[in-house]
Amino acid sequence: MSRAADSPFDPPPDLRDVEPVGRVRIWSGETPWLVTSYDAQRDVLADQRFSADTQRTGFPHQSASTAERRRDFRPFIVMDDPEHARLRKMLTRNFMIKRIDALRPRVQQIVDELIDALLAGPKPADLVRAFALPVPSLVICELLGVPYADHDFFQACSRRLISRDTPVDEALAASNELRSYLRDLVLDKQRSPTDDMLGRLVADQLAAGAVTVDEVVSMGVLMLIAGHETTANMIGLGTLALLHHPDQLAELRDTRDPALVANAVEELLRYLTIVHSGRRRVATEDVEVDGRLVRAGEGIILANDAGNRDAEAFPEPDRLDIHRQARHHIAFGYGVHQCLGQPLARMELQIVYGTLYRRIPTLRSAVPLAEIEFKHDMIVYGVHALPVTW
Amino acid sequence: MKVVVDQDKCIGSGQCVLVAPEVFDQRDDDAIVVLLQEHPAAAHEDGVRQAARLCPALAIELDEQ
Ligand code: SF4
């Protein structure tokens, strides 16, 4: 389901008319369950009787190419505990609140330098290419220990991977290229240790035999893609949404209160819910969800975008209000698979939203909304480009 | 109010630390939750309730007595 062309910030109109827990027909002809209510989605995501394992029969895949790709590439997010927990635990200390806070000055510097370059360059400029994509890419590269100089390569692979329409063989090729690139890096780090996330995985876990090279490679691919695609889209799409809500933008631009900026980040995460194609599970037992019986082996799709617009959880859900209490949104998912990188994403977005509009107060879209191309076919929603001027 | 955390359930997401830093901390080596105040001061109770609601691993339990 796509969002409507005339209301690109809202969930697909078709999602509004379905039952809170009902059936939907997907590309494969299968009819998994579709959950739209907020409470029921949280219940399912927190219930380990629903499996995230994409190899189980009945798992409702996004598309033919994701189904195919998952056969051999299995990052820990598509595993269940205890495997999932074993691998995830190796990474959590990197995302501790204290450690993420310590990175703030460096991220602020990256943001300031990119804004300097943007202001010094020609206008109009594409905000995605000049700012939204470089910020999180630079940050995740430094954290992981991946050379930023290779960004054209990995951003192109990532784009092919997260488009639902990429033909199966192209998606597989992109996945293989990215994995062999990461494998070379991991082998390098085995020879000459580095103090970064991949380097520490190699030195601590791989050396001790706690993980295989393949597992480290899969974690690297996952973090590289997840680390830049999502935040980049929140910067691009979030800016466009703010430009279309000038009163909210003005408040954000003029505030010096970090708590209000942080609140605005939560609200935009809720309002936009860029992981818009639903989180997916398959039942391992018969489980009742909001009065409907989901049987073992049946797939279930959780429409997080609809859940984040559920009036029971968020009064007047279609209003963008940066003062709203929105922190309980499910844009990062919920349950043991909830996004590992969220403290990093939050921190980056707080710095970006707290800096960009203040430094370029006259920032505006250089084209009408109708000319903006949205990523309807991507697993992560956003804009392909955002021409801006000031 | 009495707070109980289950370190075996915790996935180290830090949600609790973000909303109630006076009551929750994270262990340095693995980011697992550490309870700083078993009986939080009244001023922190709302933050603790929010933490319990936000915890993705259902690792925080509250006894409101
Ligand atoms: S919110 Fe829950 S899972 Fe996250 S650190 Fe606190 S106790 Fe652990």
Side-chain angles (χ1 to χ4, degrees), chain A residues 294-309:
Chain A
V294 178
R295 292 193 182 278
E298 290 180 340
I300 187 161
I301 301 175
L302 310 158
N304 293 164
D305 47 355
N308 278 337
R309 296 291 187 100

Side-chain angles (χ1 to χ4, degrees), chain A residues 185-205:
Chain A
L185 264 178
V186 166
L187 298 179
D188 274 353
K189 287 174 194 290
Q190 251 181 334
R191 284 185 293 266
S192 21
T194 50
D195 187 23
D196 44 54
M197 233 190 272
L198 278 178
R200 286 190 295 269
L201 270 178
V202 168
D204 303 342
Q205 311 288 350

Side-chain angles (χ1 to χ4, degrees), chain B residues 5 9-17 26 31 33 51 54-57 59-60:
Chain B
V5 296
K9 281 190 184 170
C10 171
I11 57 166
S13 71
Q15 308 281 317
C16 52
V17 181
Q26 287 174 289
V33 63
L54 291 176
C55 174
I60 302 172

